[in-house]
Amino acid sequence: MSKMKMSRRGFLGVSAAGAAGILAACATPARPESAPANPTATAAQSPAAPPTGPISLKVDKYPQGWTTTVNAPRWKAPSSLEISLAVREDPNRNFPPGDDALNTPYNRLMRDATNVFPKAAFTYTGDYDAKMLAVMSGGGLPDFVFLNPQLYGRFLQADALEDITDVWNSAASDLLKEYAGRYDGRLMKSVTVNGRIMGLPSGAKFEAQDNMLLYYRADILEKLNLQPPQTIAELEEVLRATNKEFANDPAWVGLPAHRVMVSWINSFDVFFGPTGAIPSVGRTDIRIWVKDPQNPNKLIYGSVDERIKPVLEMLQRWYKDGLIDKEFFTRDESKSTDPVAAGKCAVFFAPAWGIGWPAGLTKQNVPEARWGFTLPPADANGKRGWLETAPSYGYIDGFRKGIELEKVEAVIQVMNWVLENVTRWREQNIYGFEEWDWHYNNEAQRYEVWNNRPGTYLGTAFTTSNNWGGYYLKNAGDFYAYAAELAAGDTASLNGWQQALVEIAKDPELGEKDTQPVVLQGAGKGIYPEFFGPPTSTMASRGAQLDKLEQETFTAIITGSKTLADYDRFVEDWKKNGGNQITDEVNRWYETGETV
Amino acid sequence: MTASSLAQHNRSAQAGNRPSQNWRRQGTSALWLMLTPAILLMLLFNLIPTFGLVIAFMDFNPLKGFFGSRWVGLGHFELLFALPDLRELMRNTVTIAVGKIVLGQIVTLVFALLLNEVYERHTAFKRLVQTLTSFPHFLSWVVIGGIMMDVLASNGILNQVLRSIGVQRPPSWLGDPSVFPLTMILSDVWKGFGWGAIIFLAAMTNVNPENHEAAAIDGAGRFQRMWHVTIPGIAPIVVLQWVLSIGGILNAGFDQILFLYNPAVYSTGDVLDTYVYRVGIQSAQWSFGVAVGAIKSGISFVLVLLSWYLANRYSGWRPF
């Protein structure tokens, strides 16, 4: 893969890309399938209730072609319905002649089956937030808007989101409601404001993909006669031993790290996690609130929870001793992975996909490199902990105020349709339908069927920006287990999709088929952020000032230019300058569900 | 306006032969026409947006617009003055900007003086030096920032060189709050001195050669002539440069700092502009960001008036 820098979600596609190639090669013509025996949908029927038999999509414009077979939806719009959204333009994207970001095989299938088709309200390249803000002030909002927590708060304040409670209640299928009700109802709670549903929750993250693993260079550890570290103390030992071994290499970094500290790669959440609290330092999307150990009925902001202090002390010592990348504060997440690819570190933290990127790149520079992986290390009490990444809070898909309600229904009906099909993934040839898809031609040129950026696709767009497919994969964390099961049995009678899974299971190279089961051993045992409502009013008005204070203090303590006494001062300043007010607002939400 | 035309302008003004009188006689419509694009530009991008300052007095929400957002009076200013940030930001901004102005002017002047003394027969060398030193001016900080990150890293080329010549503990150029402002000043001076020298070199060509000849006949050496002839000859331009830079005291170099700073050096490296960007744009606290920007604009306006007054007083130059 020539593209080194990818979005977090982009990583997810890497493994899918491999699968796509295999799958396309193995695709067989569609087999007729009967409709599910127990239809789960209770959705409002449209006047012209269409048949629900199998329909298939022959994708022939793409170099390798493939076939997707799904059941036709139970709902169809009476007439053609266009729904506008923001479309990402990416110069690296490549479409066959006539296709573009919205005019894709899946969206055409959706149009034929449901009469719904996407329309670009505006396009953007890099900064989605900035563009959305400009559009906000200039009018012309799309029908369907993807919002991060900050934008979500702004939209709510401006009363710019449509209340979809009634449409949701009548149009969402039981299956969809069941999925949306997962995670103890947190997902729906994140979009519920004072009892009303203000959007569709985003589940764009799932544990098997996003929780951290510890990766270690098995070849180096074997040479130094070290075991893969299972505790933080053992990890320190490994860092010291490898630093000593590579003392003459000025580019050796020890433990790769970056300025955000708690994030999607090389994250320190694994060190804070065992204490029961994780700071949000540097993050701009979610704020991590945990149960207050002094008062279990209250929430406390992770960064001002005293329990994290010993970890800061440890990190300060590690930095002083050169165990942590000396330049971590200048690096962003992507940059922090450079030492992995360059073979300049022996351990790093990354989610399950880390085995492909960046670990997969090390061999280019160090041919003998072999990576192993394990759950993040435990503290002295044997406790492990990390930030539970799923579901992702505060990211929502909303509808602009004043939208025609039939458009809202259309989106929900498409979600019903997609979810009903993707939950039958074991039997059907649905590849690509529920998620994104990449294909390569013989010159290794990449064609993208759609980009996995929220708001860029429809049909599956509605579902993938929420990533319901993600739930299903997590749920079936057994995706790879199923592949292994198939590979062990009689493969002669399998359909193309199943044969593709067998190919993945047999792949001798390490991949997510190997790492995901390890992540799932620990999934759910980490720390769930307890606050997932929209940002409170004081968060919106003081957030940036408090973030500065926090990030500056944490960074300076680790680099040694501030002492641990400064942490106590930070806690005081944080409380004094708006923190107490935010704590009250968050706890009000926690107790009553009321948004301030 | 180049230095030579400035000097010409000054002489004309002193002689009481104000060029504007000639222009008036010839009719000014053509001049106004030429001025129109600049005026339009000012109107569009400087004057009209000033209206946006009202954002500082409301809880601005783009969806509600100027007329729908809630008025909060001086609320954002009160918060700003209550936070420790403002004092720190002011101190950082002024420290870095003044450092850049002072060191920049001195280095530029010395460089121009030295280059001016290169013998005529070495023109090729002189031009080569001028080209090489001017070159960084044309690169954006995005490019230079990326290179500097590597060069100035703890184990970067610079520190490796320093270690090889016996410096035991070379500084962390980008991570040590006490060193960071110096890094900003030095790198900015490095980037700009070659280009800045052009104005001084132009002014030096305007120094009457007879003065140099007379001084040489009186037995003055090269350094003496530099000190007693060249420098006094370009003094008005030097003063003008200093005075005009006063207006920029609150401009510490937004793009440079944005690309090179990090949380470890916020205490000495975060300046007004980067703060406004982070708070106002990235965190969508528009009103608070504008309040900070408004304070900066207010102070800058006073400084510009001051520099205008001083420029008039010490070098007789008035832009209007």
Side-chain angles (χ1 to χ4, degrees):
Chain A
M1 184 141 309
S2 61
K3 199 179 170 194
M4 299 277 290
K5 275 188 189 170
M6 308 166 84
S7 71
R8 172 179 36 174
R9 304 289 308 145
F11 297 133
L12 307 185
V14 176
S15 63
I22 297 165
L23 193 76
C26 297
T28 54
R31 287 186 301 124
E33 296 266 353
S34 58
N38 298 311
T40 48
T42 57
Q45 299 290 308
S46 75
T52 56
I55 50 173
S56 61
L57 169 69
K58 176 86 183 118
V59 182
D60 45 13
K61 261 192 192 178
Y62 290 76
Q64 290 161 324
W66 74 97
T67 303
T68 291
T69 311
V70 292
N71 285 322
R74 298 157 192 281
W75 174 94
K76 191 170 188 177
S79 58
S80 178
L81 200 57
E82 276 189 329
I83 293 173
S84 64
L85 34 74
V87 177
R88 179 162 173 251
E89 279 188 344
D90 181 346
N92 295 321
R93 290 161 73 188
N94 212 346
F95 298 100
D99 277 17
D100 58 39
L102 292 180
N103 190 8
T104 68
Y106 296 101
N107 286 344
R108 288 192 291 270
L109 176 72
M110 174 176 68
R111 181 189 55 205
D112 296 345
T114 66
N115 267 342
V116 179
F117 204 70
K119 188 175 81 176
F122 64 85
T123 60
Y124 63 97
T125 44
D127 199 340
Y128 173 79
D129 288 13
K131 192 82 184 246
M132 190 52 99
L133 291 173
V135 172
M136 264 172 93
S137 46
L141 276 177
D143 293 330
F144 187 65
V145 285
F146 171 72
L147 304 172
N148 64 22
Q150 279 174 8
L151 289 175
Y152 178 28
R154 294 279 160 191
F155 270 65
L156 282 179
Q157 277 171 21
D159 191 23
L161 288 176
E162 186 65 38
D163 177 343
I164 63 163
T165 314
D166 299 338
V167 191
W168 169 264
N169 286 337
S170 66
S173 68
D174 287 350
L175 186 66
L176 184 55
K177 284 177 182 161
E178 183 206 319
Y179 270 74
R182 290 185 177 188
Y183 295 105
D184 298 331
R186 286 161 197 250
L187 280 165
M188 286 314 288
K189 212 172 164 189
S190 74
V191 292
T192 305
V193 179
N194 301 331
R196 307 300 294 174
I197 299 171
M198 302 307 292
L200 306 167
S202 166
K205 278 167 154 276
F206 47 107
E207 299 91 334
Q209 283 282 6
D210 292 323
N211 282 7
M212 290 290 142
L213 278 181
L214 169 66
Y215 290 83
Y216 54 87
R217 278 279 297 276
D219 53 317
I220 295 178
L221 263 56
E222 279 164 23
K223 192 176 149 206
L224 299 177
N225 212 8
L226 292 163
Q227 292 302 311
Q230 290 304 319
T231 65
I232 294 175
E234 285 172 17
L235 174 63
E236 182 174 343
E237 229 172 275
V238 166
L239 288 169
R240 287 191 192 282
T242 49
N243 268 16
K244 201 171 152 199
E245 176 75 8
F246 294 92
N248 292 329
D249 184 346
W252 187 261
V253 298
L255 183 68
H258 54 75
R259 60 183 170 214
V260 184
M261 293 189 215
V262 173
S263 186
W264 50 270
I265 197 164
N266 286 324
S267 174
F268 285 171
D269 63 325
V270 293
F271 299 125
F272 293 107
T275 69
I278 296 175
S280 309
V281 56
R283 283 195 88 117
T284 51
D285 53 352
I286 62 160
R287 314 275 166 202
I288 302 162
W289 289 74
V290 295
K291 289 207 170 93
D292 188 343
Q294 316 292 335
N295 185 351
N297 296 323
K298 295 267 179 194
L299 297 185
I300 181 174
Y301 185 50
S303 306
V304 298
D305 188 327
E306 298 273 326
R307 287 178 291 179
I308 65 171
K309 217 170 142 182
V311 181
L312 274 179
E313 191 177 9
M314 179 194 86
L315 292 172
Q316 189 184 55
R317 183 163 48 82
W318 282 20
Y319 182 83
K320 187 166 158 264
D321 293 351
L323 305 188
I324 297 176
D325 182 358
K326 276 278 176 205
E327 298 290 313
F328 79 91
F329 44 79
T330 65
R331 307 204 197 281
D332 60 16
E333 288 97 330
S334 294
K335 195 96 176 138
S336 77
T337 63
D338 288 354
V340 178
K344 300 299 178 188
C345 63
V347 282
F348 75 100
F349 291 97
W353 42 256
I355 193 69
W357 184 95
L361 301 178
T362 316
K363 267 192 170 37
Q364 294 172 6
N365 297 303
V366 188
E368 72 275 16
R370 269 185 300 118
W371 285 100
F373 45 87
T374 174
L375 282 177
D379 68 0
N381 303 320
K383 206 166 172 315
R384 297 175 203 260
W386 45 79
L387 181 65
E388 285 290 346
T389 49
S392 54
Y393 304 116
Y395 286 86
I396 74 154
D397 282 321
F399 297 88
R400 73 172 162 79
K401 185 89 178 173
I403 187 177
E404 301 83 345
L405 289 179
E406 73 235 39
K407 287 186 177 173
V408 180
E409 190 197 354
V411 171
I412 295 173
Q413 292 288 6
V414 169
M415 290 174 74
N416 288 339
W417 174 48
V418 175
L419 191 66
E420 187 183 309
N421 278 287
V422 298
T423 47
R424 299 173 56 241
W425 60 275
R426 282 171 194 256
E427 312 107 60
Q428 284 198 178
N429 221 355
I430 53 127
Y431 190 81
F433 184 64
E434 84 292 6
E435 292 278 353
W436 55 91
D437 206 350
W438 293 346
H439 292 264
Y440 294 85
N441 67 11
N442 294 335
E443 282 77 49
Q445 186 184 22
R446 193 171 85 173
Y447 284 107
E448 208 154 335
V449 181
W450 63 75
N451 191 290
N452 59 326
R453 171 83 190 191
T456 52
Y457 31 79
L458 194 65
T460 48
F462 298 138
T463 56
T464 43
S465 66
N466 285 283
N467 215 329
W468 298 91
Y471 294 154
Y472 117 81
L473 267 185
K474 171 259 160 183
N475 210 16
D478 42 37
F479 175 82
Y480 292 113
Y482 178 60
E485 188 189 307
L486 289 176
D490 173 21
T491 54
S493 61
L494 300 180
N495 69 23
W497 161 236
Q498 291 167 326
Q499 281 171 16
L501 286 181
V502 169
E503 292 297 322
I504 294 172
K506 283 184 183 162
D507 187 354
E509 287 285 319
L510 286 179
E512 286 184 57
K513 72 179 193 311
D514 307 288
T515 53
Q516 282 203 15
V518 178
V519 180
L520 288 172
Q521 288 168 19
K525 294 174 190 157
I527 291 181
Y528 285 97
E530 297 291 340
F531 173 71
F532 35 88
T536 70
S537 56
T538 313
M539 274 184 195
S541 64
R542 299 283 176 90
Q545 293 86 336
L546 295 175
D547 283 350
K548 178 187 168 178
L549 188 67
E550 180 176 338
Q551 207 176 2
E552 183 179 4
T553 308
F554 278 61
T555 312
I557 289 176
I558 294 175
T559 58
S561 58
K562 281 192 174 175
T563 65
L564 277 171
D566 288 300
Y567 175 75
D568 301 330
R569 214 162 298 134
F570 152 74
V571 174
E572 269 170 46
D573 285 346
W574 185 87
K575 289 179 176 168
K576 206 171 61 194
N577 288 312
N580 276 336
Q581 220 170 324
I582 294 176
T583 306
D584 288 344
E585 291 166 352
V586 166
N587 277 302
R588 200 158 130 199
W589 172 90
Y590 188 56
E591 282 154 26
T592 66
E594 199 181 328
T595 302
V596 188
Chain B
M1 187 172 271
T2 65
S4 53
S5 66
L6 270 177
Q8 177 70 39
H9 182 105
N10 292 340
R11 275 198 291 274
S12 313
Q14 282 154 13
N17 180 20
R18 294 181 70 89
S20 57
Q21 287 169 6
N22 291 332
W23 296 346
R24 219 168 267 145
R25 255 178 257 128
Q26 290 159 9
T28 54
S29 50
L31 293 172
W32 280 111
L33 194 67
M34 283 194 273
L35 208 57
T36 308
I39 290 174
L40 279 179
L41 221 62
M42 285 288 287
L43 268 177
L44 264 180
F45 294 104
N46 294 71
L47 219 54
I48 296 175
T50 311
F51 173 69
L53 280 180
V54 296
I55 290 176
F57 305 98
M58 50 172 66
D59 253 344
F60 180 70
N61 191 318
L63 284 170
K64 292 184 175 170
F66 288 122
F67 303 105
S69 299
R70 192 166 57 94
W71 290 94
V72 294
L74 293 173
H76 295 297
F77 292 93
E78 282 165 18
L79 173 62
L80 180 58
F81 284 107
L83 290 175
D85 297 5
L86 185 65
R87 209 169 348 135
E88 191 180 274
L89 292 170
M90 279 289 180
R91 191 195 63 213
N92 298 345
T93 309
V94 173
T95 308
I96 294 177
V98 169
K100 283 178 178 177
I101 291 170
V102 173
L103 195 69
Q105 294 285 344
I106 293 173
V107 169
T108 308
L109 180 61
V110 170
F111 173 68
L113 282 170
L114 293 176
L115 204 61
N116 192 46
E117 292 302 317
V118 173
Y119 286 120
E120 282 301 317
R121 62 176 182 274
H122 292 142
T123 310
F125 170 75
K126 199 168 162 178
R127 284 190 181 153
L128 180 71
V129 169
Q130 243 190 310
T131 306
L132 288 178
T133 52
S134 308
F135 182 64
H137 168 80
F138 295 100
L139 293 177
S140 97
W141 274 109
V142 186
V143 178
I144 296 198
I147 298 170
M148 290 221 166
M149 284 274 205
D150 285 337
V151 172
L152 300 176
S154 300
N155 287 321
I157 301 169
L158 181 61
N159 279 2
Q160 288 186 36
V161 169
L162 288 175
R163 276 195 203 98
S164 70
I165 57 170
V167 180
Q168 292 294 323
R169 293 180 58 126
S172 170
W173 299 97
L174 297 173
D176 184 342
S178 58
V179 180
F180 185 77
L182 186 68
T183 311
M184 292 302 96
I185 293 167
L186 291 178
S187 56
D188 184 71
V189 169
W190 166 79
K191 188 172 184 286
F193 80 95
W195 178 252
I198 290 174
I199 288 185
F200 290 130
L201 284 168
M204 286 169 197
T205 59
N206 220 27
V207 175
N208 194 339
E210 287 172 12
N211 295 350
H212 277 285
E213 283 161 24
I217 289 166
D218 288 346
R222 298 193 72 167
F223 278 104
Q224 281 171 314
R225 267 186 283 149
M226 206 191 276
W227 189 251
H228 294 290
V229 179
T230 313
I231 292 182
I234 62 166
I237 297 298
V238 175
V239 172
L240 187 67
Q241 286 279 323
W242 279 92
V243 165
L244 288 182
S245 58
I246 290 175
I249 279 181
L250 291 186
N251 289 326
F254 169 67
D255 40 0
Q256 177 198 18
I257 295 176
L258 186 73
F259 287 117
L260 291 173
Y261 83 154
N262 59 71
V265 294
Y266 275 171
S267 60
T268 60
D270 196 14
V271 296
L272 284 167
D273 289 338
T274 48
Y275 186 79
V276 169
Y277 175 74
R278 236 181 24 250
V279 174
I281 309 282
Q282 288 189 320
S283 302
Q285 289 178 224
W286 301 284
S287 293
F288 188 81
V290 172
V292 179
I295 287 181
K296 185 194 157 185
S297 302
I299 298 175
S300 293
F301 182 65
V302 173
L303 290 173
V304 168
L305 286 183
L306 180 72
S307 70
W308 179 78
Y309 168 76
L310 291 174
N312 186 27
R313 178 158 179 183
Y314 292 105
S315 62
W317 184 73
R318 283 198 313 183
F320 48 86

